[in-house]
Every structure is written in C-alpha cells, then in structure tokens.
Amino acid sequence: MNERLANQPPYPMVRLEEWRQEIAERGVQLYDFGTGDPREPTPALLRQAMIDAVPEVSQYPASVGVPALREAAAGYLQRRFGVEIDPATEVLPTFGSKEAIFHLPMTFVQIPGDGAASAKDTVVYGEPAYPVYEIGALFAGAKTHAVTLGVDNGYAMDPDGLPDSLLQRAAIVYLNYPHNPTGFLLAPKMYEKWVTARERFGFVLVSDECYVDLHYEGDAPRSLLEFGREGCLVLHSLSKRSGMTGYRSGFLAGDAKLVSTYRRFRASMGTTPQEFVQAAAAVAWTDTEHVEARRAVFVKKREVLLAALVERGLRVHGSTAGLYLWVEVPDDTTDTDYAARLREVGILVAPGSFFGEGQERFVRLALVPTVEECREVAAAWPRR
Ligand SMILES: Cc1ncc(COP(=O)(O)O)c(C=O)c1O
C-alpha cells in the first residue's frame, strides 16, 4: 500500500454511518442532518436532458469537455457575477468539485527533489475545512498549512498575519466561501487582499464556490473572478445548486494559462464527465428557475430550524449561505457530548471537531431532512 494512503487517518464522517446504525438499532426515527447530500428530487428538466442525450454509440469524451457545457458555464458566470470568460480557453468541466480539488495539487505543486525550479510545495487552506484540500495535497507529496479560523473573525481567511515565508512557498491557497461548515461569507476587501498577495507571491489562488447560489440573508456571495483573473481559478458544482450530487458535475474556470496546464494533466488522467451528463449540466447552468425553487425549500427548512434553536437559547453563527447551520453548543457541554444527546432523540449532526481543531464548541446541521421532518425536529429538540 502507498505510504500516503496507509498514513491517512479514517475520514471522520464515517463515524456518522456508525451512529446512523445505532439509531436504527434502537428503533428511533432518524433525522439525518449529518452529510450535505440533500434528498430533494433532481429537477425533471435536468433528468430528461440527460436521458435525451444518451447516444446509441457512446465514445470517449474529449478531455476539454463539450463546447455546449463550456458555453453554458461561461454564460452562468456572466449572468451571475458579470464576469466574462472565454469558453474555449478558460473553462474546464470536472466530475464535481471534489475530484478537481483532489487533483489540483498534482498539477501545481512543485516538489524540490523532483527538480522543480522553485520550492512551491505547500498547500494552504482555512480550518475548519472540507477535508479534501488537505488529502489532495498529501497525496501530491505537498506540505500542508491549515490556517486556524474562528468565530471571532467570522471564519475569514486573511493573508495579513501569515508569514511571507509561508506565502512564498505556497503552491495553492484555497478560499471557500460560502464556507463549509459555517456558512460565513468573505468580505470583498478580503478577496482584494488575496489577489494582491497572490500578485506578490505567485501562488495559484483557488476559490471553491460550490455553495455560491444557496444564499438566504444579507449580501449575495461573490466570486473570486470578480476581483482577479491572473493566477486565479474558481470551482463550481451542480451538486448542491441543482440537486445533482450523483451526476458528479462541476467546472473549473479562470486564468487561461492555468486552465491550459490543468487540461494537460487531465488529458493523461482520462477523467472527463460523460457527455450525456455534460449535456444535462449545460441545461442546469442555463436555467435559474430550478435553483430558485430549491433555494426556497432550504429557506423553509432553515426558518423552521432557526426558530426552534433560538427558542432553546442556542446561538447560530454564520449560516447566511450554504447548506449548513453552525450551532454553538450549550456552555456545559462539548460538540461530541451534545451530538450524543441529540442522537438520543434521533437527531444526527456532525460535531464541529470533525472539521478541524478548536471547533469543539459547535455542531453542524446539514439542511437535508424534509421541511416536515424539520418541523418534527423543531418540536423534539432537547430543552437542555
Ligand atoms: C466545500 C466543498 N467543496 C467541494 C465539495 C464537493 O462537492 P462536489 O464534488 O459534489 O461538487 C463539497 C461537498 O460537500 C464541499 O462541501
């Protein structure tokens, strides 16, 4: 076994599966707020688009993706953020954003022993974080640096305060707003600071924007591409926005030079989404009605849960966008103890410590159960 695989600690979210089973064995109704995989049906329009596109003969897809999807992605970025992207050179379809995150370090990290011209060997990300930023970096042989984020500064990644020596060695810096797990946004001035820092230190600045269309309160989430292009990439996904987690479809866009480098890597790897999935994806990026309809469902779930949590005297931080509620646990308990207490009444949540160090005061609820189930949970939520 590859040492890097052997050294991987178990993915914390696998604990959720054990807890699901425990709840089932007790014969208690399960309310599963654990994993961010909503159960609302994929819109009929998108399912049909895929079915219609399944050809009699299906050949290898081109690694650069089908033009219709690249054009739809560019159209989406134009409408949503006012950003002009060349569909021929600045967009690349991916299998959702997870695999792109996993593979980016293999493309952009330079390991000194490999004869690299410079020592850009470190991947930087905020913590708590989606775990694949770290895992992808480790498999690429990179060093990792997790910047500890906290509730006091709204979980904001800020280049000020990071040593020059770190940014000098950074091959990739990840931003992720709306942030998983907290649902905080990043202020525009902070994006500007990152673009300036990138110009100075020359790392690849990657913004994971997979929750950007799920927004409930305050200013709409922004895209990094509104602030900079050179050295910048954004990752978008249909998983949460369009209810297409199982289709595995997203795209990467930004600096043409970086896109070209990444295309070169992907051509050897042979990972390009099936063309019939890409056809459905082109429809999904063009249509906004289904996104609004889905968002309205999350709005309702969020409303019902927020009212119940506040009524119980709990504080919810961030959570103005994305798919999650980031809930501070009562003073006399910890994330794991509180999660255990919730499981007694069938409510499954992810403890904050699953997402990084220093998050033991929080639990994360993914807005996955139905509105009706959220109403039941609102009634059943423990009073202390
Ligand atoms: C922050 C973040 N990035 C990326 C992903 C991966 O999403 P997908 O591969 O379905 O696009 C997730 C999934 O939960 C996520 O939370």
Side-chain angles (χ1 to χ4, degrees):
M1 194 191 291
N2 177 337
E3 283 297 299
R4 288 175 191 155
L5 181 59
N7 292 336
Q8 279 297 303
Y11 201 65
M13 298 295 270
V14 299
R15 286 287 289 149
L16 292 178
E17 192 44 48
E18 293 164 23
W19 288 340
R20 272 182 205 111
Q21 280 175 18
E22 272 169 36
I23 292 172
E25 279 161 19
R26 281 190 288 120
V28 175
Q29 150 119 37
L30 169 68
Y31 298 101
D32 191 348
F33 294 91
T35 310
D37 193 357
R39 305 198 319 251
E40 281 70 33
T42 304
L45 166 82
L46 307 180
R47 282 181 274 146
Q48 196 58 47
M50 193 196 79
I51 292 164
D52 292 346
V54 175
E56 201 167 272
V57 178
S58 182
Q59 295 183 283
Y60 286 125
S63 64
V64 294
V66 300
L69 172 53
R70 284 187 267 121
E71 278 154 25
Y76 161 77
L77 291 173
Q78 213 294 319
R79 280 192 311 280
R80 174 70 177 77
F81 304 107
V83 166
E84 294 293 338
I85 278 282
D86 177 1
T89 59
E90 293 176 325
V91 183
L92 188 59
T94 61
F95 271 103
S97 32
K98 183 175 186 176
E99 66 87 5
I101 294 166
F102 184 84
H103 290 124
L104 277 169
M106 288 194 210
T107 313
F108 293 111
V109 166
Q110 299 169 351
I111 306 293
D114 292 351
S118 66
K120 293 214 165 285
D121 61 355
T122 306
V123 173
V124 181
Y125 46 86
E127 187 176 87
Y130 184 58
V132 188
Y133 307 130
E134 178 185 15
I135 296 169
L138 293 175
F139 274 99
K143 295 189 169 65
T144 58
H145 183 94
V147 180
T148 303
L149 308 178
V151 75
D152 297 343
N153 66 350
Y155 290 90
M157 274 280 271
D158 185 348
D160 290 354
L162 297 182
D164 285 6
S165 55
L166 171 68
L167 295 176
Q168 199 79 54
R169 289 193 80 113
I172 296 176
V173 175
Y174 283 109
L175 304 178
N176 166 225
Y177 298 92
H179 181 230
N180 176 10
T182 69
F184 275 93
L185 302 186
L186 193 66
K189 67 168 189 322
M190 212 57 97
Y191 284 103
E192 286 164 7
K193 273 202 209 176
W194 274 110
V195 167
T196 306
R198 201 223 66 79
E199 280 163 8
R200 181 160 166 227
F201 294 103
F203 48 79
V204 178
L205 184 57
V206 180
S207 178
D208 175 357
E209 302 180 350
C210 68
Y211 296 105
V212 82
D213 285 338
L214 297 178
H215 160 245
Y216 314 106
E217 277 178 36
D219 296 338
R222 308 283 294 268
S223 171
L224 171 64
L225 293 181
E226 294 176 62
F227 302 91
R229 179 79 49 99
E230 195 183 337
C232 296
L233 293 173
V234 296
L235 295 167
H236 284 262
S237 168
L238 290 172
S239 289
K240 327 282 175 164
R241 170 192 189 270
S242 296
M244 294 174 77
T245 47
Y247 288 65
R248 313 308 301 125
S249 183
F251 68 82
L252 165 145
D255 184 328
K257 253 169 55 193
L258 299 180
V259 171
S260 162
T261 307
Y262 197 41
R263 277 180 174 179
R264 185 166 157 186
F265 172 77
R266 293 176 74 88
S268 337
M269 192 174 52
T271 49
T272 304
Q274 300 79 355
E275 290 195 346
F276 37 89
V277 170
Q278 293 191 53
V283 176
W285 289 116
T286 310
D287 182 71
T288 43
E289 234 171 78
H290 76 277
V291 184
E292 276 312 300
R294 275 176 71 72
R295 208 176 58 84
V297 175
F298 295 129
V299 165
K300 195 78 220 158
K301 295 181 188 186
R302 187 175 171 274
E303 208 173 83
V304 168
L305 292 168
L306 274 182
L309 296 170
V310 170
E311 198 266 332
R312 302 297 196 279
L314 293 167
R315 290 182 69 196
V316 179
H317 298 272
S319 312
T320 60
L323 194 62
Y324 309 102
L325 296 181
W326 188 242
V327 183
E328 187 170 342
V329 300
D331 285 343
D332 61 348
T333 186
T334 63
D335 61 338
T336 45
D337 288 348
Y338 194 63
R341 197 190 296 177
L342 292 173
R343 287 201 300 282
E344 288 168 18
V345 288
I347 302 171
L348 182 69
V349 301
S353 50
F354 279 17
F355 304 96
E357 280 176 28
Q359 307 306 320
E360 296 78 14
R361 303 280 318 127
F362 306 95
V363 292
R364 189 193 80 170
L365 273 70
L367 298 172
V368 169
T370 62
V371 176
E372 198 37 51
E373 287 169 335
C374 288
R375 287 206 181 94
E376 291 166 20
V377 165
W381 197 279
R383 296 230 153 246
R384 60 148 285 108

